[in-house]
Amino acid sequence: MPPADCHALGIQACNAEFPEASSDISIRWIQLDDDPELEAIIITQAKVEWTYYALIFDWNRTWNLVGSIPCHRRCDSPEFVRVQTITDDSPTFVLVHRDLGGSGHVILTTNGYHLRGGRLWPTFEFEREFISNVRERRIRILRHENRLILRATAPAKHTCSVLRWDAKMFRFVDVPSETKSLCAQQIGTPIDRY
């Protein structure tokens, strides 16, 4: 790989001075935006850095790197990155499942990125699980038609909220008027089941 391209990726392991090249590499061709060309997602392991990377490329007269997303802890290569819609009316998202915790605690998160206008935009971050020595919290993210239902459970407290996709603001927003009815029902499918 030309040095300039390697530098643009931000991965030390692709430089020639590192003798152990990345051997765990996959590529996916996927439709992420409104134009007819497919985008490319390359997932690779940078062994020198103990990190997996998802590199997202968009074609616009040439290939453009629009996202470089690392996963440092508890990475499962097949499940690290998924592409899917979340609700019936939302766009396609690049979903990234990572542990963003530090020493002594686990924070499992799902981040959603949306490709529009040739840029990959961070759109949401949902914490799915928080575990430490002093407290614990889990959130189930459920899809029900054009709504998301977030059910959080902790030893002393349970909460629930309802979100909808706002196409003008390009993000999910709270729908407090529907919280009582939708949270009272045991409905929805976990978004990580798709």
Side-chain angles (χ1 to χ4, degrees), residues 36-169:
E37 290 85 11
L38 294 177
E39 285 69 47
I41 299 178
I42 296 174
I43 298 177
T44 184
Q45 182 184 24
K47 293 181 180 179
V48 174
E49 296 156 275
W50 295 77
T51 302
Y52 274 91
Y53 279 90
L55 307 166
I56 297 100
F57 292 88
D58 180 38
W59 176 263
N60 185 3
R61 295 188 295 271
T62 185
W63 285 108
N64 299 298
L65 176 66
V66 294
S68 176
I69 304 168
C71 182
H72 302 287
R73 297 165 35 117
R74 296 179 62 168
C75 287
D76 181 8
S77 179
E79 296 298 321
F80 166 35
V81 172
R82 299 176 66 188
V83 175
Q84 69 183 70
T85 57
I86 301 295
T87 60
D88 293 349
D89 58 352
S90 72
T92 302
F93 294 104
V94 176
L95 296 184
V96 180
H97 304 294
R98 294 180 289 182
D99 178 2
L100 296 181
S103 177
H105 61 280
V106 171
I107 306 175
L108 298 180
T109 62
T110 296
N111 293 80
Y113 299 87
H114 178 222
L115 181 66
R116 67 179 188 278
R119 290 185 58 190
L120 192 69
W121 299 86
T123 307
F124 60 81
E125 178 177 298
F126 296 131
E127 180 185 300
R128 293 178 290 127
E129 197 166 329
F130 178 92
I131 302 173
S132 73
N133 293 333
V134 294
R135 66 187 180 100
E136 184 174 316
R137 185 172 87 135
R138 289 184 170 84
I139 297 178
R140 286 194 80 202
I141 307 166
L142 303 172
R143 169 193 174 182
H144 178 67
E145 298 173 354
N146 61 350
R147 296 293 186 261
L148 280 181
I149 303 169
L150 279 63
R151 299 181 184 273
T153 59
K157 186 177 182 182
H158 300 277
T159 61
C160 181
S161 58
V162 177
L163 306 173
R164 69 170 173 82
W165 176 251
D166 188 317
K168 293 181 180 178
M169 300 176 71

